[in-house]
Amino acid sequence: MKEPVARFDHRFSDPGAQETPWPVTRETLESAQLFWITTVRADGRPHVTPLVAVWLDDALHFCTGPEEQKALNLAANPNVVLTTGCNEWKQGLDVMVEGEAQRVTDRPALERLAAAWAAKWEGQWRFRPNGAGFSHDTGGAPDEGESVAHVFAVKPSKILAFGKGGFSQTTYLPAS
């Protein structure tokens, strides 16, 4: 991937603050344990919920059950924002990824993603690729069996990085 174009926004940054280098932002996306996804309901109301995601092939990937609210929202409007960071005021980096969520159904891509999920969380998230996305053991009662999850990729249309404790805002746009 070509490195995205960084734009430092002085309006929302402390005097003397510096833009966040892309490798720092990318590492935050790669290592974050939790993201918050914002989708839009069919009636226009926002819906926000936590989830796990992996950064792979220059996109942020997540999965959801086909009957979950976020899946229903995505069927009507694929635009999302995925957010990660920390709730500290004077330290850390908060990162927002904006883009369209696109279903991933390609078997080789799903296999790579399943391996990435397992590696990132040391085996706590074990998915098996299938024709619809992922299947996994629910871990519940024997009659609950397996559940299915649709997998989505978000190729960023914009990434925002907010540095704290020397406040800064850096916007990344895809390289042309």
Side-chain angles (χ1 to χ4, degrees):
M1 167 181 154
K2 288 177 111 177
E3 189 167 307
V5 176
R7 294 195 178 136
F8 184 70
D9 197 328
H10 295 278
R11 299 172 302 165
F12 305 112
S13 302
D14 285 346
Q18 302 288 317
E19 77 178 37
T20 302
W22 172 244
V24 172
T25 301
R26 187 184 63 237
E27 197 281 326
T28 299
L29 294 170
E30 291 171 344
S31 65
Q33 294 291 304
L34 187 65
F35 289 83
W36 293 86
I37 186 169
T38 303
T39 59
V40 180
R41 297 172 193 264
D43 66 6
R45 292 178 299 134
H47 175 73
V48 180
T49 188
L51 51 66
V52 295
V54 294
W55 178 261
L56 185 68
D57 298 334
D58 304 323
L60 199 52
H61 298 82
F62 66 93
C63 57
T64 184
E67 301 302 318
E68 291 185 41
Q69 186 65 54
K70 58 187 163 291
L72 300 175
N73 296 348
L74 291 170
N77 183 343
N79 293 294
V80 300
V81 178
L82 289 130
T83 305
T84 194
C86 69
N87 61 359
E88 299 288 329
W89 174 248
K90 292 189 176 185
Q91 65 183 2
L93 182 68
D94 295 333
V95 180
M96 288 78 188
V97 174
E98 297 180 9
E100 284 191 10
Q102 302 292 321
R103 282 279 304 275
V104 177
T105 57
D106 175 68
R107 183 73 181 223
L110 290 168
E111 289 173 0
R112 292 182 61 241
L113 286 164
W117 251 283
K120 183 173 181 179
W121 285 278
E122 299 173 350
Q124 291 178 342
W125 292 94
R126 293 212 176 266
F127 296 117
R128 289 179 302 285
N130 64 36
F134 287 153
S135 60
H136 60 96
D137 184 0
T138 62
D143 62 335
E144 290 180 9
E146 288 194 341
S147 71
V148 173
H150 291 173
V151 180
F152 292 87
V154 178
K155 290 263 188 199
S157 59
K158 181 193 306 186
I159 299 175
L160 298 167
F162 297 92
K164 298 181 285 188
F167 298 97
S168 66
Q169 179 179 320
T170 306
T171 301
Y172 301 96
L173 299 170
S176 36

